[in-house]
Amino acid sequence: MNKKPSKFGSERLLRFTAYTITILFVVCMLYPFMYTISNSAKDNVKIYDVPPKLLPDPAQSMSIVIDYSSLGELSDQELLDKALRDNALAMFATNYEYPRESIFEIEVYGMLNNKTIFYSRAHKMKLELIRDFGVYQSSVVKSDVLLYGDRYIRANDSIGYQFDPKGLDRVPELDHLDDSYSPTLTSLLSDSYKTNGKFIGSGVSNHNLLLLESFKYYFQLPSYVYADNPMIAKYSFLTFVLNSFIVIGWAIVTQVILSSISAFVISRLLSPKAGSIVLLYFLGAMMIPFASIMLPQLIMYKDMGFYNNYAALLLPFLYPFGFYIYLFKGFFDRIPGDYFEAAKLDGAKNFYLYMKICMPLSKPIISLIALQTFIGNWNDFFWAWMVTEDQKLWTLNVALYNLSMNGSTKQNFILGLSLITIIPVILLTIICSKQLKQGIMASGVKG
Amino acid sequence: MVNLSQTRLHSRGYFWRNRLAPWLLLAAPILLTAWLKYYLIIKAFYISLFDYDPINTPGKFVGFANYSRMFSTQYYWDAWNNTFIFLFLSIAMTFFIPIIQALFLNEIIRWKHVFTTLYILPALIPTAVNVIIWKWIWHPDYGVANQILKFFGGQPQAWLSDPAWTKFCIIFPGVLGGGISVLLYLSAIQGISPDIVESAKLDGCVGWKRIRYMILPNIKFIISIQLVMAVITAMQMLDAPFMYTSGGPSGASTTMGIYIFNTFKQDFNYGRGSAASTILLLVIAIITAIQMKFDRTERD
């Protein structure tokens, strides 16, 4: 065979393989991600379908119209009470009796003499939250259970409604909607659940944006599950995000300060021999596995009262990582000596050399360490999980793990929360991808 | 400069500035490291010598009885067995993937930055999220793993609930690769000096030959460092098996880390937990030392 074409062919074959393999890997990597997106957009019944479908079914919005004209003269208060009872019945009954129909939104209109006097609207996931963790926690969907005590009033307060006996400016538009549910709904609401008002019609329409609205309620999940905790009841998932950022922020600050000071001393003030011994001391500490010290660490922290508070989460970062000192030292070693000599001749103190010469020059290394610390702690779980009992101290990893281990949490909520966690990070990665890559690559050359 | 330092040599300020100041500055980092790391490992060894009683510390001194008692239990050796199977699986299944990805990424010209960005993504997905997603994929009834298996005519498996499969399932997500190490290898490849690249081209070293004879030998150094790191990481595996299966089913994913956790969290046997901690540290130190030694002799 001729030599030249074979060379050329080999190179081309390699390039072709490179593209194929890379694309294959990327597709495989994105698959779990896509799978999560599609599953979190489905409702809690559809995700269990076998075989799993890639695309969620279209979301439907249902309007239910109930008429109160036949009840005779009623005071406003009585009318509202009847409407509230009917609203609770209509919403939870529909949501419960049609689990497979992808009805993501239910609107209830109360009519009096052709005027809309009552309007309420709920998303499917809101109703699920109320049934799983809210007013109707672990109760059967039956007329007398739903209306027991003041439950229906609390449920309505949670869902939200509008009531005006003079008439609201909302009109149910049933004419051009699909009314295929009306016959079954008539028997359901009038006979099984016995609403006060008369069911006069219903309509469904497709409304795919409702699939996105689910995420709003996924986000609220923690505030329902841990409703006893005032902090989480108020800020919900944001509490965990904040905790993660407190821990990571603290870790970055302490690592940058402690590592850079140590590296400055090792690189500039100590003899090479003493410097390498000190560096070895720090690198050695880094090699001690967490599994080996978790027990004495827990005992010691508990003795000091550092348990179930921020001190327990933050203290483990209060020592310099050997690897970061090594990175800083490599950087400081390469700063030309002239800088220091000139400053020293002017009578500069060490602190000045450190603050005014070393730190401004080491911006790239600082951002690299910030990035490495972020990635390291973003995945940190065990210690934070071990020392926090109070839910308001949980970091993202701990919260997601505990929520997913909670038996009554539905899978689509968990997958949705996971997605809410990773999407900002992914966006951030794409926006800062250039800096990220440079940072990681820089550490590779030096490490 | 010489004159200046000589004049200063005689002043008292010199001593303070040049001899003591560095150690004063280093005092805080050194003491914090001693307190938060070295002290704890010594304490682990200390506790392991006692029948530790957390209320009336330290309890009865028993010497090395904790060690001998621990060595006589099957559960302890099972944990080591699991740890080494995890180590073997993660090296065999996942360690080489980022190298392959980086080698091929280096050959790509168009869309390179897009692929590189996509490869970073797995590093930024928190473990908890990864576990949630993969638990769902491995689900025996609704998961996609069994769907794929059925499609090719296989028998559905219980995956994470099956002691024979659970280790495989915990390691498998790493097969997709990506993460920081791809970029580390890529930067090592791109850091190969242009002279070598040029002379290789002149020698007719192209295509697959280039990867085999030019690139791989030149990034051997970083591969061996990464291998040491991967072994250390796999030896102290704790988070992933705990989050997937809490060490189950029937102890099949109980690594040494989970064993230590269980001894004090479930059995309240602090002495034995500390004994296991000490042995784990020793084993990791020995393995690391052997690897380093091996690397060094190979390089010489």
Side-chain angles (χ1 to χ4, degrees):
Chain A
M1 207 194 256
N2 196 342
K3 206 179 172 191
K4 255 196 168 168
S6 95
K7 237 199 255 183
F8 184 63
S10 161
E11 196 74 3
R12 231 181 22 184
L13 179 68
L14 175 61
R15 186 145 298 157
F16 175 74
T17 325
Y19 273 100
T20 321
I21 301 274
T22 307
I23 289 169
L24 211 67
F25 266 119
V26 165
V27 169
C28 287
M29 251 164 39
L30 288 180
Y31 179 77
F33 184 61
M34 294 299 161
Y35 190 61
T36 317
I37 295 183
S38 104
N39 261 352
S40 58
K42 292 177 194 168
D43 60 47
N44 48 294
V45 178
K46 287 283 167 63
I47 50 172
Y48 291 105
D49 278 358
V50 176
K53 259 193 265 175
L54 196 60
L55 283 180
D57 290 344
Q60 303 201 70
S61 163
M62 174 179 271
S63 306
I64 294 171
V65 184
I66 297 172
D67 189 68
Y68 296 94
S69 308
S70 58
L71 294 180
E73 277 300 309
L74 288 170
S75 75
D76 290 354
Q77 202 55 46
E78 283 171 318
L79 196 60
L80 174 63
D81 187 62
K82 290 203 186 310
L84 289 181
R85 284 165 184 268
D86 287 358
N87 187 35
L89 289 177
M91 284 194 170
F92 287 97
T94 318
N95 184 42
Y96 176 68
E97 305 280 351
Y98 299 103
R100 294 202 51 84
E101 312 294 336
S102 288
I103 298 169
F104 271 74
E105 182 188 43
I106 301 170
E107 288 179 299
V108 175
Y109 294 88
M111 309 292 288
L112 182 68
N113 304 328
N114 287 327
K115 280 186 303 186
T116 309
I117 55 155
F118 181 88
Y119 170 79
S120 177
R121 178 250 175 217
H123 191 270
K124 181 180 173 71
M125 296 306 155
K126 177 81 181 174
L127 299 177
E128 300 281 350
L129 278 177
I130 294 174
R131 266 199 61 205
D132 289 342
F133 306 103
V135 183
Y136 292 125
Q137 186 172 7
S138 60
S139 43
V140 192
V141 178
K142 272 171 129 184
S143 176
D144 40 351
V145 178
L146 289 175
L147 299 180
Y148 183 80
D150 66 343
R151 282 172 158 189
Y152 67 94
I153 297 175
R154 283 191 286 143
N156 271 298
D157 286 345
S158 173
I159 293 168
Y161 58 87
Q162 292 172 311
F163 174 74
D164 188 354
K166 295 187 196 72
L168 299 161
D169 54 359
R170 288 178 185 275
V171 188
E173 292 166 10
L174 297 184
D175 301 339
H176 52 270
L177 295 181
D178 173 14
D179 62 349
S180 52
Y181 290 94
S182 292
T184 45
L185 267 177
T186 312
S187 69
L188 189 74
L189 293 180
S190 314
D191 303 339
S192 315
Y193 286 86
K194 298 199 172 54
T195 51
N196 295 303
K198 186 170 172 289
F199 171 78
I200 55 170
S202 73
V204 282
S205 59
N206 280 355
H207 218 325
N208 282 330
L209 274 181
L210 291 169
L211 294 175
L212 273 184
E213 204 194 332
S214 303
F215 287 90
K216 181 178 154 198
Y217 300 102
Y218 295 159
F219 186 81
Q220 290 175 1
L221 174 77
S223 65
Y224 277 82
V225 182
Y226 307 114
D228 303 339
N229 199 316
M231 180 85 177
I232 295 179
K234 196 168 172 198
Y235 297 107
S236 188
F237 201 61
L238 278 181
T239 322
F240 310 136
V241 178
L242 182 72
N243 284 337
S244 276
F245 278 100
I246 289 175
V247 172
I248 292 173
W250 162 260
I252 290 174
V253 170
T254 53
Q255 287 315 316
V256 167
I257 293 175
L258 289 172
S259 312
S260 62
I261 290 181
S262 313
F264 172 73
V265 176
I266 292 170
S267 164
R268 287 285 151 190
L269 303 180
L270 290 180
S271 65
K273 200 170 168 224
S276 58
I277 292 172
V278 173
L279 184 63
L280 214 61
Y281 170 85
F282 287 121
L283 283 171
M286 205 185 65
M287 301 300 269
I288 297 175
F290 168 70
S292 280
I293 55 167
M294 74 177 157
L295 169 58
Q297 191 171 342
L298 188 66
I299 294 174
M300 182 175 95
Y301 281 44
K302 265 188 174 170
D303 283 347
M304 293 190 299
F306 293 171
Y307 181 78
N308 207 14
N309 48 28
Y310 279 110
L313 286 175
L314 300 182
L315 190 62
F317 299 103
L318 199 60
Y319 77 96
F321 283 10
F323 180 60
Y324 299 158
I325 298 182
Y326 178 73
L327 287 181
F328 263 120
K329 181 184 170 290
F331 197 80
F332 292 163
D333 282 347
R334 265 173 287 149
I335 298 176
D338 304 355
Y339 279 93
F340 293 96
E341 300 309 337
K344 265 186 191 160
L345 282 176
D346 294 344
K349 300 271 190 309
N350 285 331
F351 181 73
Y352 180 89
L353 298 178
Y354 165 75
M355 281 303 284
K356 296 282 155 134
I357 297 178
C358 286
M359 290 320 268
L361 284 172
S362 44
K363 263 182 203 143
I365 206 92
I366 291 174
S367 61
L368 166 67
I369 283 172
L371 176 74
Q372 293 249 349
T373 317
F374 178 85
I375 290 173
N377 292 297
W378 189 235
N379 284 321
D380 204 24
F381 164 73
F382 216 84
W383 177 253
W385 177 78
M386 241 172 28
V387 292
T388 50
E389 283 169 16
D390 192 346
Q391 291 114 5
K392 69 169 189 281
L393 293 170
W394 287 353
T395 56
L396 275 173
N397 255 329
V398 178
L400 280 171
Y401 173 74
N402 284 330
L403 279 169
S404 70
M405 294 310 262
N406 178 335
S408 42
T409 319
K410 286 182 172 130
Q411 280 298 327
N412 58 330
F413 279 85
I414 293 291
L415 290 170
L417 269 182
S418 310
L419 210 58
I420 292 174
T421 313
I422 55 180
I423 283 198
V425 188
I426 287 176
L427 288 181
L428 215 66
T429 317
I430 291 167
I431 294 167
C432 320
S433 68
K434 206 173 159 197
Q435 289 88 332
L436 263 174
K437 272 178 256 174
Q438 281 168 351
I440 297 167
M441 297 247 196
S443 85
V445 173
K446 280 157 205 138
Chain B
M1 195 55 228
V2 174
N3 286 332
L4 192 75
S5 57
Q6 272 172 350
T7 50
R8 282 213 183 150
L9 197 66
H10 302 289
S11 64
R12 286 183 66 181
Y14 173 83
F15 175 79
W16 282 103
R17 188 171 300 170
N18 287 5
R19 280 294 153 90
L20 210 57
W23 297 104
L24 280 177
L25 280 172
L26 272 181
I30 285 183
L31 288 177
L32 285 169
T33 308
W35 179 42
L36 294 173
K37 282 277 170 174
Y38 287 111
Y39 166 69
L40 290 175
I41 198 73
I42 293 166
K43 187 153 189 212
F45 178 66
Y46 175 74
I47 293 175
S48 74
L49 301 176
F50 290 88
D51 215 348
Y52 195 78
D53 180 355
I55 296 148
N56 303 310
T57 51
K60 205 176 118 225
F61 181 80
V62 292
F64 287 92
N66 277 320
Y67 292 86
S68 57
R69 264 182 258 152
M70 179 174 76
F71 291 147
S72 65
T73 58
Q74 184 57 38
Y75 190 49
Y76 177 71
W77 296 111
D78 286 347
W80 269 126
N81 189 28
N82 291 333
T83 307
F84 279 103
I85 293 175
F86 269 123
L87 171 66
F88 172 76
L89 280 178
S90 66
I91 300 298
M93 282 165 64
T94 67
F95 178 71
F96 296 99
I97 305 281
I99 303 176
I100 295 167
Q101 287 173 332
L103 284 176
F104 283 134
L105 202 53
N106 186 48
E107 302 302 322
I108 281 176
I109 296 162
R110 228 182 290 166
W111 294 86
K112 191 170 184 169
H113 59 284
V114 177
F115 288 126
T116 321
T117 309
L118 285 170
Y119 274 142
I120 308 178
L121 291 182
L124 296 161
I125 295 180
T127 332
V129 172
N130 214 14
V131 169
I132 288 166
I133 295 173
W134 279 92
K135 260 187 180 173
W136 195 240
I137 290 176
W138 292 126
H139 197 290
D141 297 329
Y142 318 112
V144 85
N146 269 342
Q147 298 303 319
I148 293 171
L149 208 60
K150 269 188 223 161
F151 181 79
F152 289 109
Q155 279 295 317
Q157 298 290 331
W159 301 120
L160 283 165
S161 321
D162 184 345
W165 278 108
T166 182
K167 295 188 194 72
F168 172 84
C169 295
I170 292 169
I171 297 291
F172 186 81
V175 168
L176 300 184
I180 305 298
S181 34
V182 176
L183 290 195
L184 287 181
Y185 291 126
L186 187 61
S187 75
I189 295 172
Q190 290 173 349
I192 296 173
S193 101
D195 300 346
I196 301 177
V197 178
E198 230 10 79
S199 60
K201 207 182 252 171
L202 288 177
D203 290 348
C205 190
V206 290
W208 299 100
K209 273 192 196 155
R210 187 160 44 97
I211 290 186
R212 171 74 184 77
Y213 295 107
M214 201 271 285
I215 294 178
L216 277 179
N218 275 299
I219 61 167
K220 224 165 76 184
F221 173 66
I222 188 141
I223 292 178
S224 68
I225 287 187
Q226 288 288 105
L227 186 66
V228 174
M229 298 306 279
V231 170
I232 295 175
T233 319
M235 292 285 290
Q236 40 176 311
M237 210 162 149
L238 178 65
D239 288 9
F242 188 83
M243 288 165 110
Y244 273 108
T245 54
S246 315
S250 62
S253 63
T254 302
T255 60
M256 210 54 226
I258 296 180
Y259 174 87
I260 294 169
F261 177 73
N262 284 343
T263 48
F264 71 87
K265 207 74 186 181
Q266 288 176 4
D267 311 340
F268 302 105
N269 196 336
Y270 289 63
R272 181 174 298 177
S274 303
S277 307
T278 314
I279 299 283
L280 175 66
L281 177 77
L282 281 179
V283 172
I284 291 182
I286 291 169
I287 290 183
T288 314
I290 293 173
Q291 272 184 309
M292 298 277 207
K293 179 110 181 137
F294 188 68
D295 282 351
R296 202 164 298 147
T297 42
E298 198 165 73
R299 230 176 299 147
D300 295 343

